[in-house]
Amino acid sequence: MPRVSQDQLDARRREILTGARACFARHGYEGATVRRLEQETGLSRGAIFHHFRDKESLFLAVAEDDAAAMVATVARNGLVQVMRELLARAGTTDTVGWLGTQLEVARRLRTDPAFAKRWAARSEAIAEATRDRLTRQREAGVLRDDVPIPVLAQFLQLTYDGLVLHLAMDHPPSPELTQVLDLIEAAVRRPPAP
Amino acid sequence: MPRVSQDQLDARRREILTGARACFARHGYEGATVRRLEQETGLSRGAIFHHFRDKESLFLAVAEDDAAAMVATVARNGLVQVMRELLARAGTTDTVGWLGTQLEVARRLRTDPAFAKRWAARSEAIAEATRDRLTRQREAGVLRDDVPIPVLAQFLQLTYDGLVLHLAMDHPPSPELTQVLDLIEAAVRRPPAP
């Protein structure tokens, strides 16, 4: 039996996550049968479940992968930038798949208390990255200073969730969205001197 | 066979919608089996499907009922007020059921093109009520006048969708939400004179 390097294992894992993300998005959690996961990843169930204990673990890995990527982008560029990128990529296969995963997360949070508990830490990491970045922006003097950071952070998260839901539902996205994002950004910034 | 009055028919229809709304919210569209719909409404399948052709029609009637109520409230009090009421009632059984229906609508819009087509008219009625009210507010001089009405309307809808998703996922709601709604309202209003 040939030895498999860590790089190869990682690449295989990533390949499974990509296929699984598309599969969950297209068919929902329940509809993503093992057979469909095989088709979408191009791998056997043996190969898939060598890397992930079960479908539950695979779904959670997809969602956690997305959350980690989002924390990194928020820390670097802020939540409004995440929204601008999401809007720019709306309608591409990747984004459609990712939006589907987000809706599945929302649904499972409602219907599955064990999942909700495991998910809470991921959700808090995104919130924390948002607050950290806002704090740095306030120190830099670009943020309005009449509203507490947690309120601004919650406002941004609310608009972000709204954008996710909008893009997940609407094809094509509304033409006003670019201006809406400008409005959201202006709402958290220090108003220009008159 | 006793004669049944229109009032009795309407009351029965309303009773079915209430039970069905709870059932769809708790189990999702697919999970809301005819047996569960019978349990939740306390009526036989014969009685239920005397009023609604099939499960699809029943779900659409629940969702349309919700959309009609929302159009009426938006026209009267505006979308921010709808959000304030939603927040005040968060966690009550009615609201939890209603939020579940909203998420099911979002999911079916993605997965069912025929449903998406039937739903488009409802969605547009809510958007139109929002724009109409904003137009009246602008005429009354309380709205900011540097941003077009369709952008303000889309901004409010985005925050509304975000609130729905947040409340559908989070128990209990974040304590900052009241201040977030104040921030949203201020973002569409004419700034106070300095």
Side-chain angles (χ1 to χ4, degrees):
Chain A
M1 196 175 160
R3 291 219 20 212
V4 180
S5 74
Q6 188 60 42
D7 279 1
Q8 285 173 305
L9 283 175
D10 289 350
R12 175 53 57 92
R13 193 174 188 279
R14 190 140 300 280
E15 206 178 325
I16 297 171
L17 287 177
T18 302
R21 176 180 290 109
C23 193
F24 286 129
R26 203 176 330 243
H27 304 291
Y29 182 80
E30 278 81 13
T33 56
V34 172
R35 197 187 165 77
R36 282 176 170 156
L37 285 165
E38 288 182 320
Q39 285 167 347
E40 201 81 50
T41 59
L43 295 167
S44 72
R45 60 194 69 198
I48 296 170
F49 295 115
H50 174 70
H51 288 265
F52 300 94
R53 203 180 57 216
D54 48 24
K55 193 169 90 168
E56 162 87 29
S57 303
L58 178 54
F59 178 76
L60 206 70
V62 167
E64 287 183 344
D65 201 45
D66 290 343
M70 185 164 157
V71 166
T73 315
V74 167
R76 204 167 51 243
N77 301 317
L79 203 47
V80 175
Q81 186 56 29
V82 173
M83 290 193 254
R84 291 197 194 279
E85 286 169 16
L86 196 53
L87 183 57
R89 289 183 291 108
T92 62
T93 317
D94 266 15
T95 308
V96 171
W98 180 86
L99 289 167
T101 309
Q102 297 300 102
L103 280 197
E104 274 300 306
V105 166
R107 207 164 77 88
R108 302 207 64 216
L109 283 175
R110 281 175 52 77
T111 52
D112 181 345
F115 176 79
K117 210 170 161 190
R118 285 181 74 177
W119 189 252
R122 300 294 145 184
S123 170
E124 179 47 32
I126 295 172
E128 200 183 314
T130 305
R131 287 191 300 268
D132 285 355
R133 186 173 149 91
L134 285 171
T135 303
R136 292 199 302 280
Q137 285 193 298
R138 176 158 289 170
E139 284 159 6
V142 293
L143 219 60
R144 65 190 291 171
D145 46 23
D146 57 340
V147 178
I149 296 277
V151 175
L152 294 178
Q154 187 65 63
F155 167 72
L156 290 179
Q157 290 235 244
L158 209 69
T159 57
Y160 171 80
D161 286 347
L163 184 66
V164 168
L165 199 54
H166 178 91
L167 294 180
M169 281 163 39
D170 258 10
H171 307 281
S174 132
E176 287 89 15
L177 282 175
T178 305
Q179 282 172 276
V180 169
L181 295 186
D182 293 341
L183 180 61
I184 292 166
E185 186 152 35
V188 302
R189 286 189 171 259
R190 177 189 295 280
Chain B
M1 199 173 159
R3 293 223 13 217
V4 180
S5 73
Q6 189 59 43
D7 279 1
Q8 284 172 307
L9 282 174
D10 288 351
R12 174 56 55 91
R13 193 174 189 280
R14 192 140 299 281
E15 207 179 324
I16 296 171
L17 287 177
T18 303
R21 178 180 289 108
C23 192
F24 287 128
R26 203 177 331 245
H27 304 292
Y29 182 79
E30 278 81 14
T33 56
V34 172
R35 197 188 165 77
R36 281 175 170 158
L37 285 166
E38 287 182 319
Q39 286 166 348
E40 201 81 51
T41 58
L43 296 167
S44 71
R45 60 194 68 199
I48 296 171
F49 295 115
H50 173 70
H51 288 264
F52 299 94
R53 203 178 57 215
D54 49 24
K55 192 168 92 168
E56 163 87 29
S57 302
L58 179 54
F59 178 76
L60 205 71
V62 167
E64 287 184 344
D65 201 45
D66 290 344
M70 186 165 158
V71 166
T73 315
V74 167
R76 206 167 47 242
N77 301 317
L79 203 47
V80 175
Q81 185 57 28
V82 173
M83 289 194 253
R84 292 198 194 278
E85 286 169 16
L86 195 53
L87 183 56
R89 289 183 290 109
T92 62
T93 316
D94 266 15
T95 309
V96 170
W98 181 85
L99 289 167
T101 309
Q102 296 301 102
L103 282 195
E104 275 300 306
V105 167
R107 208 163 77 88
R108 303 209 63 217
L109 283 174
R110 282 174 52 77
T111 53
D112 180 346
F115 176 80
K117 208 169 161 193
R118 285 183 73 177
W119 189 250
R122 302 291 145 187
S123 169
E124 178 49 31
I126 295 172
E128 199 183 315
T130 305
R131 287 192 301 268
D132 285 354
R133 188 175 147 91
L134 286 171
T135 303
R136 290 197 303 277
Q137 285 193 297
R138 175 158 289 167
E139 284 160 5
V142 293
L143 218 63
R144 66 189 292 171
D145 47 21
D146 57 339
V147 178
I149 296 277
V151 175
L152 295 178
Q154 187 66 64
F155 166 72
L156 290 180
Q157 291 234 243
L158 208 70
T159 58
Y160 171 81
D161 285 347
L163 183 67
V164 168
L165 198 54
H166 178 91
L167 294 180
M169 282 164 39
D170 257 10
H171 307 280
S174 133
E176 288 88 15
L177 282 176
T178 304
Q179 283 172 276
V180 170
L181 295 186
D182 294 341
L183 181 60
I184 291 166
E185 187 153 35
V188 301
R189 288 190 170 258
R190 179 189 294 279

